Amino acid sequence: MKINGVLTGKVVLLLGIGCAVLLASARDAKAYPVSLTPSINLAIGDQHELGKVQPPTPEGDANITQYVNVMIGLSLGGSGHVIIGPHNALVTRSMNAFGSLPGPATLALRGTGTTINLGTQGTYAYLFAHYGGPGGGFAEVWYVGNLNGSISIPATGLGHGLSGWALFTAPHGAVPDGGTTVMLLGAALSALGVVRRFLMG
């Protein structure tokens, strides 16, 4: 009877320690918004450029998604037309090779301003920036699947001012995770392993 009481006491003690570790880890893992300084400055026609759209009109969500997906399917240096009603947009692909591009692209976020937080690498695959002007201006598209953190894009391009930007996701991209889930799972499995040893021994 005494052995069972000691065993039960050990189990309760170990479970209490395991719960304390998990709660402490969860408390320390809170996410706080941090203002990040841009570490990468993208430029028109740089090594991250996927291509251009001229003119990118109309520019509704479905329209810009179509431009990006047509661009993904082009060969290096290739071009194609996207005709939407009376509008004829020329989509051209740069000569920059990024390997097999993930697709189809799905619109995830639109915004304005020159500083953009990409989060962890692989969260977003493509960045579409519209530079407005007479005749619709143009759009620059960058591949950003290999970038992370805060980046900046030009306020003007080819004489046109930045109107806004859009980020796209694509299948098989990385799932954002700060490591908290893995840490908590590891702690839980460790606690279970210790409890099992005491019960078996």
Side-chain angles (χ1 to χ4, degrees), residues 74-183:
L74 293 173
S75 59
L76 296 180
S79 64
H81 290 269
V82 175
I83 299 171
I84 303 172
H87 305 283
N88 184 349
L90 176 63
V91 178
T92 57
R93 174 77 196 278
S94 73
M95 290 299 293
N96 297 325
F98 301 102
S100 179
L101 292 170
T106 303
L107 180 62
L109 182 66
R110 290 188 86 150
T112 57
T114 59
T115 301
I116 304 165
N117 187 357
L118 297 177
T120 58
Q121 184 172 318
T123 302
Y124 301 105
Y126 307 103
L127 170 58
F128 175 101
H130 179 240
Y131 292 86
F138 78 102
E140 179 82 354
V141 179
W142 291 278
Y143 174 70
V144 295
N146 54 358
L147 301 178
N148 67 316
S150 188
I151 64 166
S152 67
I153 59 175
T156 59
L158 306 180
H160 303 298
L162 177 66
S163 300
W165 51 261
L167 285 168
F168 292 83
T169 58
H172 311 301
V175 176
D177 189 344
T180 305
T181 305
V182 175
M183 181 181 66

Side-chain angles (χ1 to χ4, degrees), residues 56-68:
T57 52
E59 55 181 299
D61 291 355
N63 308 129
I64 65 173
T65 301
Q66 187 175 357
Y67 302 145
V68 173

